[in-house]
Amino acid sequence: MPDPAVPPTPPVLLTSLLAREDLSLRRIAGPEDPGTVVHWVHTSEMADPYPYLLGGELLLTAGVHIPEAAGSGTYFDEYVSRIVAAGGAALGFGVAPVHDTVPRALVAACETHGLPLLEVPPQTTFSGVARAVWQLMAQSRLSELRRVTDAQQSLASAASRPDPVPSVLRQLAQRLGGWAVLYGPEGAEIAGAGRRPGKEVRAALTRLARVVRPDGPAPPTGATPPTGSTPRTGATGTRPTEPGTAGPPNHPAPPTGSTPRAGAARSGETRAARAAAFLRPDAGGAPASQTDPGRPVPTSATDTAAGTHLAAYALGAGHGFVLGVASPQRAPGDHTVVSVAAVLLSLLTGEQQSGTGAARSSALVRLLLGAAPEEVAPLLGGGRWVVVRARPDGTGPADPVAASALGAALGSALVDPAGDVVRVLVPADRAPAPLPGWTLGVSAAVAPHDWPAADTQAARALARARATRTPLLRHAPRPALADLVPPGEAAAHARTLLAPVTAHPALTETLRTWLSLHGSWDRTAVALSVHRNTVRQRVTRCATLLETDLDDPDVRMELWFALRHV
């Protein structure tokens, strides 16, 4: 669960609020830390505002609660110390109408306790300050959303490239301005991109990756955690509290991002050192390599080493892959950007390691190395197959996403988006059905060695489907009179008869399509995606070369039989 003390809105830098000319706020005490942030604004005239603060507030007051003799006692010291204990980010003091100036004792107390003190001029209302904070939050949120959206588009585009994993890592490293690395199931670096950090940071990130791996180390049992916090993980969604940062009992600790106070945390020990102690065998209890099968495995973990922010994400495929990132700073939206990359890499690594994906890869490699289709077909499932040729009903070729969706609808991942037509190899037991937005041509069910012939059948079926405006057309071979002629003799006769036109593939295909569509000029033009006058010119040219009358039904029948054998 998210920490209820931290609001979902992005914090506002105190320096950004001071830069607003319409407010004219002026810092008059406290540290000038550029990292001080404000989570919200609260107005209170209570002498002890502690019970009403959650932490991270810019507390506004006009000093109504200040007694007359406050300057000579400990009032201001106690007042400021309570604000600091509650985790207040800063104090704004209005110099009208109760006080003409900010009390000197209050300035001294803020300097002592390290609390930024702002002077609010008379013309600036407290509601105006609150409105300015909300405006800055809205601007920050909008900027963050735009950045995340741009990153999502870039990562998705990278995942569609021929080298998807390195491309996603390069794009992620560029977006974070750091280093992105993919760890394999054994913990070795498979691929990395970006500015490679030093040895200390890489070692810390490797240890952090072990925390989110399913077979990673379990926390030491029976041992007291070292001083400070252990690496923050996503196992429970809670945030450990470091010693010294919490307020009195029953009061929430200041939210992450508020300005550290003096004595808030011990120095001399980095989070990386604490993480090392957490993972080291000599940290007490069980050795670091020991695993607890019953422990909840976190999906993510964060840490800091040598001033570098580290994060590790377990990829969801369940094969032990881990995404690690190291960046010099952590900006709003970084977690969302890295999460998108983790999802994409989960799909990519899951596909690579799945049995189906590995079988397809093996089949492709064997085909490229000269194996026959019937030898690799068992890797794809065996049996008989149909070839589906599909063309989108709209203008232009199908994009890769639409082609993949078509393959999913047909029940096959063997998709080839080639120009205007998408080819899909589908097991014969998955009978294709008409799909909205597509025109389909389906071949007869064939054995693997007949795949090329089936592709030709699907192409002709698609051409007829487009010409007749039919959503799906199947090639349905059946015994015919021409089958009584031995195939060898029929092929020899076809070569002799069609020799004058077979040297021109465009003429041969035009004649075939024109005859299949019963001599329709318009339908043939649609099927071939050419002008009807081009069809007339080609058919006339065929009649001239063949020295025959194409209006004679006997001639058409003989040519049709011959075209079946070329």
Side-chain angles (χ1 to χ4, degrees):
M1 295 178 59
D3 191 338
V6 180
T9 54
V12 173
L13 288 172
L14 186 60
T15 54
S16 300
L17 193 62
L18 290 169
R20 292 280 296 250
E21 296 182 356
D22 57 325
L23 299 179
S24 300
L25 301 178
R26 186 168 64 94
R27 187 201 306 264
I28 58 176
E32 296 186 6
D33 183 0
T36 302
V37 295
V38 174
H39 286 280
W40 35 40
V41 177
H42 180 65
T43 301
S44 175
E45 297 298 339
M46 302 292 293
D48 181 12
Y50 180 96
Y52 307 98
L53 301 181
L54 292 175
E57 296 93 347
L58 168 60
L59 179 63
L60 299 176
T61 179
V64 176
H65 57 88
I66 300 176
E68 294 184 0
S72 59
T74 61
Y75 179 84
F76 286 115
D77 187 78
E78 295 175 355
Y79 176 71
V80 172
S81 65
R82 294 290 281 172
I83 297 175
V84 171
L91 175 65
F93 193 90
V95 294
V98 180
H99 297 269
D100 295 332
T101 60
V102 180
R104 293 182 179 179
L106 178 59
V107 175
C110 289
E111 285 286 357
T112 301
H113 292 277
L115 179 68
L117 176 62
L118 311 183
E119 180 186 75
V120 183
Q123 70 272 17
T124 302
T125 63
F126 287 178
S127 60
V129 175
R131 181 175 59 186
V133 170
W134 309 143
Q135 289 174 347
L136 290 172
M137 285 183 174
Q139 293 173 4
S140 177
R141 182 59 172 169
L142 179 59
S143 176
E144 176 185 338
L145 291 175
R146 286 176 176 172
R147 174 173 174 265
V148 169
T149 300
D150 291 343
Q152 288 175 337
Q153 295 173 349
S154 299
L155 290 169
S157 177
S160 65
R161 294 174 183 169
D163 54 342
V165 171
S167 296
V168 169
L169 292 176
R170 283 195 299 268
Q171 189 61 231
L172 178 60
Q174 180 181 348
R175 291 287 173 175
L176 299 181
W179 187 52
V181 58
L182 177 65
Y183 296 101
E186 296 79 19
E189 295 181 13
I190 295 179
R195 292 178 294 182
R196 191 175 181 87
K199 183 176 180 180
E200 176 186 354
V201 174
R202 296 200 309 272
L205 186 58
T206 301
R207 291 192 297 268
L208 193 64
R210 294 173 56 199
V211 175
V212 300
R213 188 172 290 112
D215 58 349
T221 57
T224 303
T227 304
S229 64
T230 59
R232 293 171 56 186
T233 68
T236 61
T238 59
R239 183 181 56 177
T241 302
E242 298 186 7
T245 58
N250 301 323
H251 188 78
T256 301
S258 59
T259 304
R261 308 297 174 212
R266 298 184 183 180
S267 60
E269 187 175 24
T270 64
R271 283 191 175 186
R274 294 194 295 269
F278 172 69
L279 300 173
R280 218 173 36 233
D282 59 358
S289 60
Q290 178 179 340
T291 58
D292 178 9
R295 75 178 177 98
V297 180
T299 58
S300 64
T302 61
D303 198 9
T304 303
T308 302
H309 297 278
L310 310 177
Y313 295 78
L315 301 187
H319 300 294
F321 289 90
V322 175
L323 170 63
V325 293
S327 56
Q329 58 185 4
R330 186 170 296 156
D334 280 357
H335 176 72
T336 304
V337 172
V338 181
S339 297
V340 171
V343 171
L344 293 173
L345 291 172
S346 295
L347 296 174
L348 295 171
T349 55
E351 172 72 11
Q352 180 68 23
Q353 295 299 315
S354 67
T356 303
R360 286 201 303 271
S361 178
S362 177
L364 174 61
V365 171
R366 295 188 188 185
L367 283 174
L368 292 174
L369 296 180
E374 55 269 24
E375 295 180 16
V376 303
L379 294 172
L380 304 176
R384 298 172 68 81
W385 299 78
V386 297
V387 176
V388 178
R389 282 206 174 215
R391 185 161 180 167
D393 293 342
T395 58
D399 59 80
V401 176
S404 298
L406 171 67
L410 295 175
S412 174
L414 303 172
V415 182
D416 174 30
D420 295 339
V421 176
V422 179
R423 299 187 299 177
V424 187
L425 193 59
V426 182
D429 58 351
R430 303 172 187 173
L435 296 175
W438 293 91
T439 301
L440 307 180
V442 184
S443 73
V446 298
H449 64 272
D450 287 328
W451 283 346
D455 186 37
T456 302
Q457 294 174 0
R460 295 171 182 172
L462 175 61
R464 286 183 56 81
R466 293 186 66 243
T468 57
R469 293 178 172 82
T470 304
L472 184 147
L473 194 64
R474 302 177 189 274
H475 178 85
R478 62 181 183 275
L481 184 62
D483 296 332
L484 299 177
V485 181
E489 295 181 13
H493 173 72
R495 287 194 298 269
T496 302
L497 178 63
L498 298 173
V501 297
T502 51
H504 308 280
L507 295 181
T508 306
E509 190 60 27
T510 301
L511 180 59
R512 187 198 314 276
T513 305
W514 183 72
L515 290 174
S516 71
L517 295 172
H518 311 291
S520 172
W521 308 107
D522 292 333
R523 290 184 177 182
T524 303
V526 172
L528 298 177
S529 299
V530 297
H531 195 274
R532 65 194 306 271
N533 290 340
T534 302
V535 176
R536 287 183 178 273
Q537 294 171 2
R538 291 179 181 177
V539 172
T540 301
R541 178 65 173 162
C542 289
T544 301
L545 293 174
L546 294 172
E547 298 179 352
T548 188
D549 181 11
L550 294 182
D551 291 331
D552 187 334
D554 290 334
V555 172
R556 291 191 182 189
M557 181 181 66
E558 185 179 9
L559 291 175
W560 179 251
F561 287 158
L563 285 167
R564 295 181 59 184
H565 295 278
V566 296

